[in-house]
């Protein structure tokens, strides 16, 4: 299937780059403590290291708990994002259910394994407390031209997390990571965006953060345009998540402005817009406080 043809969408690189240049030029005019606090609330505060331990994960969640006492006017981040084996740790340590438990799954970051393994990993993550699951598009299939296999994998994992959530009386959010740096072209990014949304993604996400090229403004702009076109055609609102290399408030503001420009204010809330980050929190807090803050 040609998804871009189905949705009558053709990326126009020159227009996109010109639009991004205008957005970047004007982004500073939107900078304010209120906007940076809004960006703070979009964070999926992430630790995805080979040396993560239950204690290090609890320490990260503990910082979010301390935030409420030391900076009571700040919103909570949207979630803490960890490997699936730490789902129960985050659930037990979090200050409230408002702070979601997000886990990566589907044999993150490569997605190179058996579908049965990916599905079971998703189920286990939900069973152990995950509110949100971030899976990875099967790039091996997609780039080989086998879009149906890539779509079928998302479909199977969507079904699995829905069934696991239903048993617990919960609705689980599914994010699909496109790995846009490896998709490389706007056309591939658009095709993958539509494919993931058709198969039930609640969010589409730029990157794992584990490859050479991660989030870029161009990829974000294309993805947001696809989200808008999909919404026009179906009435279903899909969220956007920028992840990979977003470490300072200036970059976060550019992505915020892309979302606001392309999708509008209706998307500028944590139910529809996220950042996957490990270092951004301190930069946002430093902008808000107008001094260097090293909290996280």
């Amino acid at each position: 299937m040609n998804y871009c043809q189905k949705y009558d969408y053709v990326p126009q690189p020159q227009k996109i780059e010109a639009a991004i240049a205008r957005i970047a030029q004007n982004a500073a005019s939107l900078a304010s403590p209120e906007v940076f606090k809004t960006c703070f609330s979009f964070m999926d505060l992430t630790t995805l290291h080979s040396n993560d331990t239950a204690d290090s994960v609890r320490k990260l969640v503990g910082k979010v708990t301390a935030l409420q006492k030391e900076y009571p006017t700040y919103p909570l981040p949207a979630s803490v994002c960890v490997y699936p084996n730490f789902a129960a740790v985050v659930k037990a340590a979090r200050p409230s259910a408002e702070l979601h438990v997000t886990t990566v799954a589907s044999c993150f970051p490569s997605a190179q394994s058996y579908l049965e393994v990916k599905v079971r990993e998703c189920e286990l993550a939900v069973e152990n407390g995950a509110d949100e699951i971030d899976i990875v598009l099967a790039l091996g299939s997609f780039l080989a031209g086998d879009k149906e296999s890539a779509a079928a994998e998302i479909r199977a994992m969507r079904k699995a997390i829905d069934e696991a959530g239903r048993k617990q009386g919960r609705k689980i959010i599914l994010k699909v990571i496109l790995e846009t740096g490896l998709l490389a072209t706007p056309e591939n990014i658009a095709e993958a965006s539509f494919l993931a949304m058709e198969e039930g993604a609640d969010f589409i996400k730029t990157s794992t953060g584990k490859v050479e090229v991660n989030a870029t403004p161009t990829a974000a702009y294309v993805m947001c345009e696809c989200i808008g076109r999909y919404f026009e055609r179906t009435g279903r609102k899909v969220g956007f998540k920028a992840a990979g290399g977003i470490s300072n408030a200036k970059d976060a503001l550019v992505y915020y402005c892309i979302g606001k420009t392309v999708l509008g204010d209706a998307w500028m809330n944590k139910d529809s817009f996220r950042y996957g980050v490990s270092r951004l929190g301190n930069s946002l807090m430093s902008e808000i406080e107008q001094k260097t803050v090293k909290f996280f």
Side-chain angles (χ1 to χ4, degrees), residues 270-286:
K270 69 178 182 179
D271 294 329
S272 303
F273 199 96
R274 298 286 182 87
Y275 302 111
V277 293
S278 58
R279 295 173 290 164
L280 178 62
N282 286 337
S283 182
L284 289 172
M285 293 179 74
S286 296

Side-chain angles (χ1 to χ4, degrees), residues 40 45 57-72 74-77 80 89-97 99 295-296:
F40 193 92
L45 195 60
V57 170
R58 273 191 290 267
K59 184 177 179 181
L60 178 61
V61 180
K63 289 180 179 179
V64 179
T65 302
L67 177 80
Q68 293 185 302
K69 298 177 182 178
E70 296 184 37
Y71 295 89
Y74 279 55
L76 284 172
V80 171
V89 175
V90 178
K91 183 180 180 181
R94 64 182 171 177
S96 76
L99 180 72
F295 185 85
F296 290 103

Side-chain angles (χ1 to χ4, degrees), residues 99-121:
L99 180 72
H100 279 190
V101 180
T102 296
T103 79
V104 295
S106 75
C107 300
F108 176 96
S110 70
Q112 297 283 18
S113 190
Y114 301 102
L115 178 57
E116 293 88 348
V117 175
K118 298 178 187 181
V119 166
R120 185 60 183 138
E121 187 176 46

